[in-house]
Amino acid sequence: MATAVCEQLAKARRSAVHLEMRDSYMPDDPEFIAWEQGKRLDQTDRESWWRSWLDVVAEATGRGVAMRRLRVVSEPVTDYIRYEYAVTFPNVTAGEDVRWLPRSRTGDLLLPGLDGWVMDDEVVILHHFTGNGQWAEAGMEVRTDPDLAQRYLAAYEVAWERATPHADYRPA
């Protein structure tokens, strides 16, 4: 996970919300390619799927930071979203609350134009991607802007309430 997010999570005191709205990220990711070729995570073999990002999540949630991840997805889902769904159980195990929202249920919502995080209602980390899901040159943009954070969170909360918890969602 990118350094800026890890640094901000280490400072977070109360909350961290993450909004993901793309149907594909980093199509050249070796883990995604391996999944496409048949690799699956064994839920009973924690050592095979636990990774450094999950240590960051577990540390933050362990000190009381509420972490939520909302994925807005097109249906039928892409292979990449199918992959994300298959590898989400480690995030949940580490303490993240994950929900899924079909894009078809967002027509009356006003959502931000960029994926990103909001930490403690004041720090916003915007993610910049190219059209095919690679990191754009701008990468991540960290802003300490409570007004922007509140606007982002207002949109997030409405979408969150409409979304389906990970345990109940089945990719179409």
Side-chain angles (χ1 to χ4, degrees), residues 75-142:
E75 291 181 327
V77 298
T78 62
D79 286 343
Y80 191 88
I81 296 301
R82 213 172 296 291
Y83 159 73
E84 274 195 334
Y85 179 82
V87 300
T88 293
F89 74 87
N91 298 67
V92 173
T93 300
E96 282 190 62
D97 188 358
V98 179
R99 291 190 184 182
W100 302 81
L101 179 59
R103 197 172 313 282
S104 62
R105 297 183 57 212
T106 66
D108 60 336
L109 302 181
L110 299 176
L111 294 171
L114 297 173
D115 287 11
W117 289 82
V118 177
M119 310 282 184
D120 289 338
D121 305 335
E122 59 189 36
V123 176
V124 179
I125 304 172
L126 300 172
H127 294 187
H128 297 274
F129 292 98
T130 63
N132 67 354
Q134 300 292 347
W135 281 107
E137 187 175 329
M140 290 189 188
E141 178 183 353
V142 180

Side-chain angles (χ1 to χ4, degrees), residues 22 31 40 71 91 95 149:
R22 299 186 57 82
E31 290 299 316
R40 298 298 183 261
R71 291 180 169 145
N91 298 67

Side-chain angles (χ1 to χ4, degrees), residues 1-139:
M1 177 53 61
T3 303
V5 174
C6 292
E7 288 172 358
Q8 292 302 320
L9 274 174
K11 298 176 192 176
R13 299 172 315 279
R14 297 178 312 284
S15 63
V17 301
H18 187 190
L19 178 61
E20 298 177 359
M21 298 180 290
R22 299 186 57 82
D23 288 321
S24 179
Y25 295 90
M26 307 302 291
D28 59 353
D29 176 359
E31 290 299 316
F32 172 57
I33 293 167
W35 181 86
E36 284 185 303
Q37 296 170 347
K39 177 185 175 185
R40 298 298 183 261
L41 299 182
D42 178 355
Q43 292 189 31
T44 64
D45 181 12
R46 182 180 174 123
E47 292 302 312
S48 70
W49 49 261
W50 194 265
R51 55 197 190 281
S52 60
W53 165 247
L54 300 172
D55 288 334
V56 173
V57 173
E59 192 279 326
T61 60
R63 65 174 197 280
V65 175
M67 285 189 69
R68 296 182 294 155
R69 181 183 301 258
L70 174 59
R71 291 180 169 145
V72 178
V73 297
S74 299
E75 291 181 327
V77 298
T78 62
D79 286 343
Y80 191 88
I81 296 301
R82 213 172 296 291
Y83 159 73
E84 274 195 334
Y85 179 82
V87 300
T88 293
F89 74 87
N91 298 67
V92 173
T93 300
E96 282 190 62
D97 188 358
V98 179
R99 291 190 184 182
W100 302 81
L101 179 59
R103 197 172 313 282
S104 62
R105 297 183 57 212
T106 66
D108 60 336
L109 302 181
L110 299 176
L111 294 171
L114 297 173
D115 287 11
W117 289 82
V118 177
M119 310 282 184
D120 289 338
D121 305 335
E122 59 189 36
V123 176
V124 179
I125 304 172
L126 300 172
H127 294 187
H128 297 274
F129 292 98
T130 63
N132 67 354
Q134 300 292 347
W135 281 107
E137 187 175 329

